[in-house]
Amino acid sequence: MPGSKAEAARQRAQQARKDRAAGREDPRVPVTVLTGFLGSGKTTLLNHILSSKEHGMRFAIIENEFGEVGVDEKIIAQQMAEDGNADGGKLAAELNRKTEDEVIEVMNGCICCTVRGDLVEALKRMHKRVEKFDAVLIETTGLADPAPVAQTFFVDEEIAKKYKLDGIVTVVDAAHVEQHLDDEKPEGVENEAVEQLAFADRILLNKVDLVGLEKKEGVEVAVPAKKEGDDVAKGEGAVEIKQNVSDMGGVRDEKKAEEELARIEKRIKAINNHADVFRTQQSEIDPTKLLNLNAFDIDRVLELEPEFLDDDGEHEHDDRVSSCSTVMKGELNVFKLQNLIRSLIGSPESAGDLFRYKGVMAVKGCEDKFVFQGVHMLFAGSFSEKHQWGEDEERECRFVFIGRNLDKQKLIKQFEACKAEDLLRFALGAKVMANCSGGRVKGKVVAHWDEGNAYRIELADRDKTNIWAPMDHDMFVKAV
């Protein structure tokens, strides 16, 4: 009965408070739940916590992906290895199978409902391995209602004896939170963005630097850098992807930004007046402000939702929202991907239905992994020196789309069409006509797949200027 469960939960919480006051150590493993809507910055926060040298803590990670293909675990496991946190680096290829290890991936559903049983079983199996760890960090999907996840630590007796819920941290995308709070859901379906705020013990108002931007028209592409000893110019449409491919440019109106942030904070406080709110960029915050705080208050939660411990109810997702994903063996042409994303977010209406899109990819001609992140009309992609392809690692491209009313087959087909060509039309030394800003100019091919571009061309001018042609297409390069 919910009443007896509530009383038992209150008694455990009361005893824990008495033990803390008496200086007695709680033997249970603390658990912090990281939640927040799609693209808010949860994985970025998790990586900051893992890479921080200040707390000296050791963690076990449970990563929940909504789709069938994992993307974030490719970054998290490597981050753990680089920062000396357990054996994370060895686990990248086996995260979805090795639930006894320090990183666990729960795939293809939300741990608040469809794969909640997997969470319970994983916690039970991993306990002996992690009982001496400082904490378990659970990153939910962006569509998860945190209430059923939190409920797990009170309604299951074995879990309640071995783990304690230390707190729920909600990451908020300041640039998009209001449209998600205002989203009209079908009858009987809860608004996840509201629930994530209501149950939070700490709130990160993230991406504050993107609020108040007067957006530039078009997509910004980084200007190519000169190579040592070379004069590399930008051909028509050429991409210098060693830096960033992004559309997050714009001029920030500070007064407007502060007014918008104050309005957003007021809305957040109207939903949850108990949680501290921290303004952040790139989810950067001192981890000690989020961890080991004994912040979760069962009495407050039961006051907010009296049937919180009734585990007979089911959380309903908006069935218009789904995901599709692919793992494409081979390498990508980034310029093609950039054009695809530009077409998908061509209008506010279409971009509004594309909640989240992200990938970790191999780019033809580049050794580093290309990490791509997108939320509605904002996207950014860059190479990370921290994430490189191993000598024995098969080069591939993983990509996930999450949104409303997705045409899944079409999206996957369009993404796979971004694959780089195996054979190019023009051999090294071939005479070509390159499309430059002033028109077609004669030149010769001097390199294939140079920094992600299909051709590097030396123009037949006095300075022998070098330019890039990003695709093997007549719009960039033609036969003489």
Side-chain angles (χ1 to χ4, degrees), residues 141-361:
T141 79
L143 296 173
D145 178 352
V149 181
Q151 185 190 72
T152 301
F153 299 92
F154 297 94
V155 300
D156 188 292
E157 286 297 321
E158 185 178 348
I159 296 294
K161 290 177 181 177
K162 293 179 175 178
Y163 298 90
K164 68 169 183 177
L165 182 58
D166 184 68
I168 296 175
V169 177
T170 297
V171 187
V172 174
D173 178 353
H176 297 106
V177 62
E178 289 189 293
Q179 75 182 75
H180 294 307
L181 292 176
D182 295 335
D183 192 14
E184 293 186 11
K185 297 288 185 178
E187 185 176 353
V189 176
E190 293 175 335
N191 185 315
E192 295 91 351
V194 174
E195 295 296 302
Q196 289 162 359
L197 286 172
F199 281 88
D201 299 300
R202 297 288 186 273
I203 297 170
L204 269 63
L205 184 57
N206 195 33
K207 302 185 182 181
V208 294
D209 51 317
L210 299 183
V211 175
L213 283 182
E214 298 295 336
K215 201 165 167 9
K216 293 180 180 179
E217 291 296 321
V219 177
E220 295 300 308
V221 181
V223 176
K226 288 185 179 180
K227 295 183 179 178
E228 187 176 352
D230 288 332
D231 186 11
V232 181
K234 183 180 178 182
E236 188 69 22
V239 236
E240 206 295 290
I241 50 178
K242 271 293 184 186
Q243 300 298 320
N244 286 304
V245 175
S246 172
D247 76 334
M248 294 187 180
V251 178
R252 193 164 193 256
D253 183 327
E254 295 295 337
K255 181 179 179 181
K256 179 182 177 182
E258 183 56 40
E259 290 174 352
E260 290 186 22
L261 288 170
R263 184 184 68 244
I264 293 168
E265 287 179 338
K266 185 176 180 180
R267 291 196 65 175
I268 290 173
K269 286 296 184 181
I271 297 170
N272 183 341
N273 196 37
H274 298 275
D276 292 334
V277 179
F278 301 95
R279 293 186 182 184
T280 59
Q281 298 180 32
Q282 297 291 325
S283 300
E284 290 189 6
I285 188 172
D286 181 353
T288 60
K289 294 181 178 180
L290 308 177
L291 305 172
N292 285 353
L293 301 176
N294 296 300
F296 189 83
D297 186 345
I298 186 64
D299 293 322
R300 181 182 78 83
V301 171
L302 288 171
E303 183 180 340
L304 174 71
E305 191 167 317
E307 296 184 355
F308 169 68
L309 297 177
D310 181 4
D311 56 352
D312 294 328
E314 291 190 5
H315 169 62
E316 288 190 45
H317 283 293
D318 185 344
D319 59 13
R320 299 172 301 171
V321 177
S322 63
S323 71
C324 60
S325 52
T326 184
V327 179
M328 181 178 71
K329 302 302 179 185
E331 299 168 304
L332 184 85
N333 182 316
V334 169
F335 186 80
K336 291 183 179 180
L337 176 64
Q338 183 180 327
N339 281 346
L340 170 60
I341 298 301
R342 183 185 294 163
S343 68
L344 293 177
I345 62 172
S347 68
E349 292 76 19
S350 60
D353 284 341
L354 195 56
F355 295 162
R356 187 80 167 101
Y357 42 103
K358 56 185 177 179
V360 176
M361 293 157 285

Side-chain angles (χ1 to χ4, degrees), residues 18-243:
K18 288 180 179 179
D19 289 343
R20 286 198 301 274
R24 291 189 291 270
E25 186 176 346
D26 191 331
R28 296 176 297 169
V29 181
V31 177
T32 297
V33 176
L34 306 180
T35 189
F37 205 75
L38 297 160
S40 58
K42 299 182 295 297
T43 302
T44 304
L45 172 62
L46 183 55
N47 279 326
H48 281 313
I49 293 173
L50 294 177
S51 62
S52 173
K53 306 298 184 184
E54 298 173 0
H55 51 66
M57 299 171 70
R58 192 178 185 208
F59 304 106
I61 308 299
I62 295 179
E63 168 75 16
N64 180 207
E65 291 266 21
F66 183 69
E68 297 177 357
V69 172
V71 171
D72 294 336
E73 41 89 359
K74 292 289 182 183
I75 306 302
I76 293 169
Q78 190 159 347
Q79 185 73 56
M80 292 182 76
E82 290 165 356
D83 298 320
N85 193 320
D87 302 317
K90 298 189 297 183
L91 307 174
E94 300 183 281
L95 294 180
N96 58 344
R97 298 194 297 275
K98 295 183 64 178
T99 55
E100 75 275 19
D101 279 305
E102 287 84 357
V103 181
I104 298 170
E105 190 179 30
V106 181
M107 295 294 299
N108 201 22
C110 278
I111 53 177
C112 68
C113 49
T114 55
V115 292
R116 185 175 168 196
D118 295 352
L119 170 65
V120 173
E121 290 305 311
L123 287 167
K124 290 178 179 178
R125 284 198 297 267
M126 71 190 287
H127 182 261
K128 284 188 177 180
R129 177 85 180 234
V130 304
E131 60 183 339
K132 300 301 182 183
F133 280 31
D134 295 290
V136 174
L137 305 179
I138 300 176
E139 181 189 351
T140 73
T141 79
L143 296 173
D145 178 352
V149 181
Q151 185 190 72
T152 301
F153 299 92
F154 297 94
V155 300
D156 188 292
E157 286 297 321
E158 185 178 348
I159 296 294
K161 290 177 181 177
K162 293 179 175 178
Y163 298 90
K164 68 169 183 177
L165 182 58
D166 184 68
I168 296 175
V169 177
T170 297
V171 187
V172 174
D173 178 353
H176 297 106
V177 62
E178 289 189 293
Q179 75 182 75
H180 294 307
L181 292 176
D182 295 335
D183 192 14
E184 293 186 11
K185 297 288 185 178
E187 185 176 353
V189 176
E190 293 175 335
N191 185 315
E192 295 91 351
V194 174
E195 295 296 302
Q196 289 162 359
L197 286 172
F199 281 88
D201 299 300
R202 297 288 186 273
I203 297 170
L204 269 63
L205 184 57
N206 195 33
K207 302 185 182 181
V208 294
D209 51 317
L210 299 183
V211 175
L213 283 182
E214 298 295 336
K215 201 165 167 9
K216 293 180 180 179
E217 291 296 321
V219 177
E220 295 300 308
V221 181
V223 176
K226 288 185 179 180
K227 295 183 179 178
E228 187 176 352
D230 288 332
D231 186 11
V232 181
K234 183 180 178 182
E236 188 69 22
V239 236
E240 206 295 290
I241 50 178
K242 271 293 184 186
Q243 300 298 320

